[in-house]
Every structure is written in structure tokens, then in C-alpha cells.
Amino acid sequence: MRDFKNLNAFQEVQINHILDTNKERDNRLRSIRQYLEKSYIIEEITEMNDYQIAKIRRKSNSGINEWLYSMFFNYNPIHEMAMTFDQAVLICLSYKYNNRNTDAALYLERILNASFMPEGIE
């Protein structure tokens, strides 16, 4: 455990800034965690501009450890799941710019010649 009593003024500012930044992030992500924690185990949440992507796994005893990606726009759920992080980013972009009314993510997948199937699944 670190002793915070013997820090100089510069170190105190640095430590407090890091702690405040983490607290702000926790406050921003609280609604996402509350939404997902009932049914999923959350590995990590990535924030990018207006959208957030949570890497999650189902809470079940089925022995399936499949990772999924749940997407949020301005901390509100999109109600879609992706199989890979790349697919989640494309879905978020299509949702942001076209309100997910088209198959933009599918077309981008074809343009990029990308396969969004996780490794080991054919």
C-alpha cells in the first residue's frame, strides 16, 4: 500500500488528477454496468467518442465462454450484440450516422473483405 502522506505538492496533484479521472469514468460507466451486470460478466468497456463497447460473457453454467460485444450510444443501449470488436465498431458507426436503418455495417464488411466470425468458428 502506498503512503500518500509524504508526497510533494506536484505528486499530490498528479495522484488526485488520476483518482478524479478514474472516478469520473466510473460515474460515466455506471449505467452501462448496471444494465449488463444482471446477465453478463463484464471484461472491459471501451469508450470512443459518442459510443461505448462492452466486452461481455454470459453468466451461465453451460460451459460456453463466448465473448460478445454490447454497444451503447451516448451511454444508452443499442440493443444489439456483435461477435467481434471490429464488427461492434462498424455497427456503432452505422447507428451513429444512419440510425441503423440500413445494412451499412454489412456493406463495410464486404468492402473491407472482413470476416467477423470469431476464431475457431467456421
Side-chain angles (χ1 to χ4, degrees):
M1 179 167 257
R2 186 171 179 158
D3 182 18
F4 291 108
K5 296 176 187 170
N6 297 323
L7 298 176
N8 64 33
F10 181 72
Q11 290 171 325
E12 282 185 26
V13 169
Q14 282 184 320
I15 294 294
N16 287 332
H17 176 71
I18 291 168
L19 294 175
D20 288 345
T21 302
N22 288 339
K23 191 181 295 183
E24 289 172 11
R25 185 170 194 270
D26 285 343
N27 287 337
R28 283 194 315 268
L29 299 178
R30 180 177 290 130
S31 64
I32 293 174
R33 285 195 180 99
Q34 289 173 344
Y35 178 79
L36 294 172
E37 283 180 340
K38 296 171 190 153
S39 303
Y40 300 98
I41 298 168
I42 303 169
E43 173 72 17
E44 66 179 310
I45 301 173
T46 304
E47 296 176 278
M48 296 180 290
N49 297 330
D50 297 333
Y51 46 93
Q52 302 75 39
I53 300 171
K55 182 179 180 181
I56 57 175
R57 184 175 37 164
R58 293 186 206 281
K59 286 184 179 177
S60 67
N61 296 330
S62 65
I64 299 172
N65 289 326
E66 172 183 60
W67 290 105
L68 298 171
Y69 295 87
S70 180
M71 294 143 296
F72 298 81
F73 185 71
N74 288 326
Y75 304 94
N76 296 314
I78 293 178
H79 303 292
E80 286 194 50
M81 295 284 185
M83 298 294 287
T84 64
F85 185 80
D86 295 339
Q87 183 183 25
V89 170
L90 290 179
I91 290 171
C92 286
L93 288 172
S94 67
Y95 186 87
K96 179 178 179 180
Y97 292 108
N98 203 9
N99 205 19
R100 197 68 172 118
N101 290 331
T102 66
D103 292 328
L106 178 64
Y107 295 132
L108 285 170
E109 178 182 351
R110 288 180 185 166
I111 290 169
L112 296 173
N113 196 23
S115 173
F116 292 127
M117 292 303 292
E119 291 181 19
I121 297 177
E122 298 278 339

